[in-house]
Amino acid sequence: MWVKVSRIILRNKILLLSLLAVITIFFGYKARNVEMSYEYASLLPKKDEAYKDYQKFVKVFGQEGNLIIVGIQDSNFFDIEHFKAWKNLSKDLLKVEGVENLLSITNTYNLKKNKEEKKFEIEDAFPSSIETQEELDAYVSEFKSLPFYRGLVYNNETHTYLLAITVNKDKMASKARESMVAGIQDVCHKFEKEQKVKLHYSGLPYIRVVNSVKIKRELYLFSVLALFICIVVLFLFFRSFKAVIVPVIIVLVGVIWSMGMLAVFGYKITILTGMIPPLLIVIGIPNSIYMLNKFHQEYVLHGNKVKALQRVIIKIGNATFLTNLTTASGFATFVIVKSDILRQFGIIASLNILGLFFLSLLLIPIVFSFITPPSSKHVGHLDNKLVSKIINQLMHITQNYRKVVYFVTFAIIGVGIYGISLMKSSGHMVDDIPEDDPVYIDLKFFEKNFNGLMPLEIMVDTKKPQGAMQLTTFRKIDDLETALAKYPELSASTSLLNLLKFSKQAFYNGHENYYSLPNNREKNFILQYAQTGEENAKLLTSFLDSTRQTTRISIRVKDVGTKRMEELYASFNNEIDSIFTSDNYDVTITGSSIMSFKGNKYLLKNLFTSLGLAILLISAFMAIMFSSWRMVIMSLTPNVIPLVFTAAVMGFTNIPIKASTILVFSIAFGISVDNTIHFLAKYRQELNVTNWDIRKSVVMALKETGVSMLYTSVVLFFGFGIFTISSFGGTQAMGILVSLTLLVAVTSNLILLPSLLSGLERLTTTEAFKEPLLHIYNEEEDIELDDLEIMISDEEDSGNAEIPSVKK
């Protein structure tokens, strides 16, 4: 098969280059239209009950996550100059395009009873014109007698005050949200500078916008860094600009294809798909390293450039295809996860990894067929003294210290199992934000002073019209709110009852002692007052559906992580079941906090499944290539051990299992097994040459593939290492853990795998391994150059070309 492939490639160079140019231009044109994702990507599938509950809530009450919160801690807040400055800040923020409304102390209201018209009139708690400190103090005294606002807009004990900005939901789902948030920040920064104070910012819209800006910035940063590292490493290895430029062109074309493919599929750039360009650069370079190393080795042997290029395709085309297939499989397994963000990442990454294989297979032979053969300087890396010394030392270890290798391996497994037992799962809504980031610091500021910001909604369906306005329902909601008040992770609840209590206080002329739930006698005439007037009706409808059958309880919860949130969720349901009977009420717990914790649980479960599927798929590919189940086990062993090692490191260092860290295992396993495939493919070739001398074949395979394995491992280690400088904790963890896993994997493949093959000998290398289902080219088979029908220089054709000498 690969002989035919080599003929097609080398006979149709211009046609294939033209075809690649057309495809690249097409994807480049499409890439202009790729957009950043400005919407919250739910981790839950649309058929999940939690997702349906949330959509039901949004349909009845609207979006609950459109608040940007600005806070300040100021013991002199009610000094008249400070108060006026805060009031002016509120006015300026209302002028920002996209800001629909805001709630702050300076624009709070009070209810006043109008006996003549039997209604409540809304009055500003603080009039627009307050000139003296004495006048302000009087209004402050009256305001502080309103329990409705305590814990909602201020914390009197810590002198903390907040400003809740309601932003336009359509702008939040478009590119305009960046300019809107920037406008809010500009106004606030001006206030900070003038007043010499520190403001704190939070809320889901704010966090999402800040993160999306960072994603965009890191997309360019990591792509440039990955490219720079690959260029430096390639030049240090090959000492040839040609050996640098061609691989760089290949990965850049791959990046263009990936961006264009995002647009073709209708996907957007997210925190995951934004990692694809640098990932492709790092993963794509090893293809070129293996092919260029083989090209140089072949050219040194016989000095015929065309023959060397053909042998590159024939000898390692099959192994390279399988290595790319296994790497792509590691990403493709995310497709089974019904989370849109992961599925899109898996589809685009896996398709473009395969695309990189075809680009390498086509461009390296074609381009190098046009340019001059490598000189002695360019193939000098084959005799690199340091690399040769390392390879010789590895051969010495695998041939003379196998028992030590086995002992160390068992020790790592034993310690690894213990480390795995220490692993913990975790998942926070701001999981990827490091603790020293201003976003994280500000979130903790609000959690400390207002007990959380993450939305938690409880929807109570009474199953009959006007049921939400019954005194029985009021009392049950009051019992639930009292039960939930004991949880320190929750803020004070806001519901219809707060308005009723506020109304009762107003009915009794503002006396604070009357801020309580109306009794049966008071309910009717207080509701008569509360429902009269347009403004009063609006207050009620924010907590009631149109039929007054369903009401809501709004709470803010701390970002406590998946494990604690699961415990709280179970406790909340127990409280609800003890208060509301299922025959008369349908009570649903939802909100962004519930969606997040349920999504993380769903994701972890499915990512473990995808890891199992990746191992199964790769095992199947190995079986097809080598036709030996023993060799499949042999090939998996040095690649599973690094996963055990990394999992143990996570356990010992308290790195939790979460969406970003569980990704490491599927990705790293798909990449690390590449070295095994190249090694075993070469080993099988050497068995035929050495007449089934296993130990000699192992040494020969290690000599040739060991160099490429070391080169590619350096690229992969430093390539993934760039992600450690990310602003996102999850991306940092992925960079550290993948680099660590691949480092252990290459060590395992260079030491443990050869030791197992040499030590176990006939037990693992059977006749089945000798005749694989997918043919691997025999080193001794001849190649008919005449059949290629391509131009060969006279110098090469006469066999008089100068052959670079490499010290053997």
Side-chain angles (χ1 to χ4, degrees):
M1 169 188 167
W2 291 101
V3 173
K4 292 180 180 178
V5 171
S6 67
R7 289 172 181 167
I8 292 171
I9 293 173
L10 294 174
R11 283 176 178 175
N12 302 279
K13 295 182 288 187
I14 302 300
L15 175 64
L16 290 172
L17 284 176
S18 301
L19 183 61
L20 290 178
V22 170
I23 295 172
T24 304
I25 291 170
F26 170 76
F27 280 128
Y29 177 77
K30 288 292 184 181
R32 300 180 311 143
N33 302 320
V34 70
E35 299 177 356
M36 291 291 300
S37 175
Y38 297 104
E39 299 173 357
Y40 173 66
S42 173
L43 299 177
L44 287 171
K46 294 181 180 179
K47 293 182 180 180
D48 190 271
E49 284 301 316
Y51 182 86
K52 291 179 181 178
D53 289 341
Y54 182 74
Q55 294 305 314
K56 181 180 177 182
F57 172 84
V58 171
K59 185 177 180 182
V60 175
F61 295 108
Q63 189 66 252
E64 36 76 87
N66 283 336
L67 288 179
I68 292 178
I69 309 298
V70 179
I72 189 173
Q73 193 165 34
D74 182 5
S75 58
N76 298 315
F77 182 85
F78 288 111
D79 286 358
I80 191 163
E81 295 303 322
H82 289 219
F83 187 81
K84 284 183 176 180
W86 190 257
K87 191 168 188 176
N88 290 332
L89 172 64
S90 301
K91 289 179 180 178
D92 291 340
L93 287 171
L94 279 171
K95 297 175 184 177
V96 176
E97 187 175 356
V99 173
E100 294 186 336
N101 203 352
L102 59 82
L103 174 63
S104 173
I105 283 181
T106 56
N107 67 345
T108 51
Y109 62 85
N110 197 357
L111 296 179
K112 298 293 183 179
K113 182 174 67 172
N114 186 326
K115 292 184 179 179
E116 289 75 20
E117 299 183 21
K118 293 186 177 181
K119 69 175 185 179
F120 291 125
E121 293 180 343
I122 294 178
E123 292 184 359
D124 291 334
F126 296 93
S128 56
S129 58
I130 300 177
E131 300 301 331
T132 65
Q133 184 66 51
E134 292 75 14
E135 190 179 359
L136 176 60
D137 291 343
Y139 284 114
V140 169
S141 178
E142 184 177 2
F143 172 77
K144 288 187 175 181
S145 71
L146 303 176
F148 181 82
Y149 294 109
R150 292 173 192 165
L152 183 64
V153 294
Y154 77 102
N155 183 331
N156 199 46
E157 294 179 358
T158 61
H159 305 288
T160 309
Y161 308 87
L162 62 75
L163 193 156
I165 305 169
T166 304
V167 294
N168 184 278
K169 64 178 182 179
D170 294 327
K171 285 191 178 294
M172 276 305 302
S174 71
K175 189 176 182 179
R177 72 181 190 169
E178 291 183 15
S179 59
M180 178 182 67
V181 170
I184 292 172
Q185 289 176 322
D186 290 342
V187 172
C188 291
H189 290 161
K190 181 182 177 183
F191 174 85
E192 288 178 301
K193 187 176 180 180
E194 290 176 350
Q195 300 300 315
K196 295 181 174 57
V197 294
K198 167 66 178 172
L199 295 181
H200 301 270
Y201 310 86
S202 198
L204 287 183
Y206 178 80
I207 293 172
R208 289 169 186 165
V209 171
V210 170
N211 281 353
S212 69
V213 172
K214 288 180 181 177
I215 291 169
K216 188 187 296 184
R217 185 172 64 244
E218 290 189 356
L219 168 63
Y220 298 112
L221 174 64
F222 290 152
S223 297
V224 171
L225 284 177
L227 198 60
F228 175 76
I229 287 173
C230 291
I231 289 172
V232 171
V233 173
L234 284 171
F235 186 77
L236 288 176
F237 287 162
F238 294 108
R239 302 290 180 175
S240 168
F241 288 108
K242 291 180 289 187
V244 172
I245 293 171
V246 177
V248 166
I249 290 173
I250 289 171
V251 293
L252 288 180
V253 170
V255 169
I256 293 171
W257 284 19
S258 67
M259 291 293 100
M261 205 171 288
L262 279 173
V264 170
F265 279 74
Y267 299 158
K268 296 182 179 180
I269 298 174
T270 63
I271 190 171
L272 285 180
T273 54
M275 291 165 55
I276 289 177
L279 278 175
L280 291 178
I281 292 171
V282 173
I283 293 172
I285 290 296
N287 288 338
S288 300
I289 289 176
Y290 273 105
M291 289 184 173
L292 289 173
N293 258 336
K294 187 62 180 175
F295 172 52
H296 290 169
Q297 288 166 358
E298 288 291 335
Y299 187 73
V300 166
L301 286 176
H302 48 69
N304 192 308
K305 182 179 69 175
V306 175
K307 186 176 182 179
L309 290 171
Q310 191 193 31
R311 282 199 167 188
V312 167
I313 300 169
I314 296 172
K315 289 184 180 181
I316 66 169
N318 189 56
T320 306
F321 171 69
L322 192 58
T323 58
N324 281 265
L325 187 61
T326 55
T327 302
S329 298
F331 289 90
T333 53
F334 300 140
V335 175
I336 68 167
V337 181
K338 294 180 180 177
S339 163
D340 287 342
I341 186 173
L342 263 174
R343 188 172 64 251
Q344 292 172 11
F345 174 68
I347 290 171
I348 300 300
S350 57
L351 288 177
N352 282 279
I353 287 169
L354 291 176
L356 281 174
F357 162 72
F358 289 107
L359 284 169
S360 302
L361 188 69
L362 296 175
L363 288 179
I364 286 180
I366 291 174
V367 172
F368 279 91
S369 71
F370 286 118
I371 60 183
T372 57
S375 65
S376 299
K377 176 184 176 183
H378 298 154
V379 296
H381 65 93
L382 298 175
D383 191 36
N384 185 295
K385 291 182 180 179
L386 176 60
V387 174
S388 299
K389 186 176 180 180
I390 293 172
I391 297 297
N392 288 333
Q393 188 63 36
L394 291 173
M395 288 190 293
H396 180 69
I397 293 171
T398 58
Q399 296 302 308
N400 300 290
Y401 297 96
R402 286 192 291 272
K403 289 183 180 180
V404 176
V405 172
Y406 300 153
F407 176 79
V408 172
T409 300
F410 282 116
I412 290 174
I413 293 173
V415 174
I417 292 172
Y418 174 70
I420 290 171
S421 68
L422 301 177
M423 292 178 72
K424 299 176 182 178
S425 62
S426 173
H428 293 76
M429 294 190 75
V430 290
D431 229 353
D432 284 334
I433 303 175
E435 294 184 5
D436 58 351
D437 190 282
V439 171
Y440 185 91
I441 294 170
D442 285 351
L443 176 64
K444 294 306 171 185
F445 168 83
F446 287 108
E447 287 186 348
K448 178 181 178 182
N449 293 286
F450 293 96
N451 288 341
L453 287 179
M454 302 305 172
L456 174 71
E457 298 284 349
I458 300 176
M459 190 163 58
V460 180
D461 183 354
T462 61
K463 299 185 177 181
K464 59 183 179 180
Q466 298 296 324
M469 302 302 292
Q470 299 296 316
L471 186 61
T472 305
T473 303
F474 295 162
R475 287 173 176 167
K476 288 184 178 295
I477 293 174
D478 192 43
D479 289 342
L480 179 59
E481 290 184 347
T482 301
L484 295 179
K486 67 185 180 184
Y487 293 94
E489 296 89 351
L490 303 182
S491 70
S493 58
T494 305
S495 68
L496 179 65
L497 300 194
N498 296 80
L499 294 174
L500 291 174
K501 292 175 183 179
F502 196 4
S503 299
K504 180 179 176 179
Q505 181 183 1
F507 186 82
Y508 287 104
N509 301 315
H511 293 294
E512 186 177 345
N513 292 337
Y514 288 99
Y515 186 82
S516 61
L517 193 65
N519 58 35
N520 197 38
R521 180 181 62 82
E522 296 167 328
K523 183 196 74 168
N524 292 329
F525 57 79
I526 286 176
L527 282 176
Q528 181 182 353
Y529 272 71
Q531 296 177 78
T532 306
E534 184 179 346
E535 291 297 325
N536 295 331
K538 281 183 180 179
L539 294 175
L540 286 175
T541 54
S542 63
F543 290 96
L544 291 166
D545 70 338
S546 58
T547 63
R548 301 194 174 188
Q549 175 177 312
T550 304
T551 187
R552 68 191 280 198
I553 303 170
S554 294
I555 307 170
R556 294 292 180 265
V557 61
K558 292 181 179 179
D559 187 18
V560 293
T562 300
K563 187 176 181 180
R564 178 56 181 159
M565 197 65 205
E566 187 174 8
E567 295 170 354
L568 290 175
Y569 184 73
S571 297
F572 297 162
N573 277 303
N574 290 335
E575 302 282 7
I576 289 168
D577 291 341
S578 67
I579 297 171
F580 293 91
T581 57
S582 58
D583 293 339
N584 300 319
Y585 297 94
D586 183 11
V587 183
T588 304
I589 306 175
T590 187
S592 297
S593 56
I594 300 299
M595 289 284 285
S596 176
F597 118 77
K598 291 261 189 179
N600 274 311
K601 277 192 65 182
Y602 171 84
L603 199 57
L604 285 174
K605 177 183 175 183
N606 282 270
L607 285 175
F608 276 113
T609 304
S610 72
L611 175 59
L613 180 60
I615 294 174
L616 184 64
L617 279 175
I618 291 169
S619 301
F621 295 146
M622 294 285 220
I624 292 172
M625 183 173 185
F626 298 122
S627 292
S628 169
W629 65 268
R630 294 180 181 180
M631 197 55 66
V632 170
I633 295 173
M634 182 72 68
S635 62
L636 292 179
T637 301
N639 296 294
V640 170
I641 289 174
L643 302 186
V644 173
F645 181 86
T646 301
V649 169
M650 291 173 63
F652 286 121
T653 57
N654 292 319
I655 299 176
I657 301 173
K658 51 186 178 180
S660 53
T661 53
I662 197 67
L663 281 172
V664 168
F665 297 99
S666 294
I667 294 172
F669 183 76
I671 297 172
S672 65
V673 81
D674 294 356
N675 286 329
T676 307
I677 293 171
H678 279 290
F679 184 89
L680 290 179
K682 182 61 180 173
Y683 169 61
R684 199 205 71 83
Q685 291 173 349
E686 294 297 338
L687 284 174
N688 293 329
V689 177
T690 62
N691 195 26
W692 212 246
D693 186 328
I694 292 175
R695 295 193 180 186
K696 187 175 180 181
S697 298
V698 169
V699 171
M700 297 299 293
L702 188 56
K703 272 186 177 181
E704 181 168 322
T705 59
V707 175
S708 294
M709 289 165 70
L710 288 173
Y711 286 2
T712 57
S713 297
V714 170
V715 172
L716 291 169
F717 179 81
F718 288 105
F720 278 98
I722 63 173
F723 293 111
T724 59
I725 66 171
S726 171
S727 303
F728 300 100
T731 307
Q732 288 177 353
M734 192 199 75
I736 294 169
L737 294 175
V738 171
S739 295
L740 176 65
T741 307
L742 294 178
L743 184 63
V744 176
V746 71
T747 305
S748 182
N749 276 294
L750 287 170
I751 297 176
L752 178 60
L753 180 59
S755 297
L756 290 172
L757 290 171
S758 299
L760 302 181
E761 294 191 4
R762 306 293 174 181
L763 181 64
T764 56
T765 307
T766 62
E767 287 295 320
F769 179 64
K770 189 176 179 181
E771 297 296 337
L773 294 179
L774 290 180
H775 179 67
I776 302 174
Y777 183 74
N778 190 327
E779 292 280 356
E780 298 303 303
E781 291 180 23
D782 196 16
I783 300 174
E784 298 296 333
L785 287 175
D786 294 338
D787 293 339
L788 290 176
E789 297 180 4
I790 60 175
M791 295 298 295
I792 304 174
S793 68
D794 293 337
E795 187 180 30
E796 290 177 330
D797 192 39
S798 64
N800 295 325
E802 181 184 350
I803 304 174
S805 60
V806 177
K807 187 178 179 181
K808 297 291 185 184

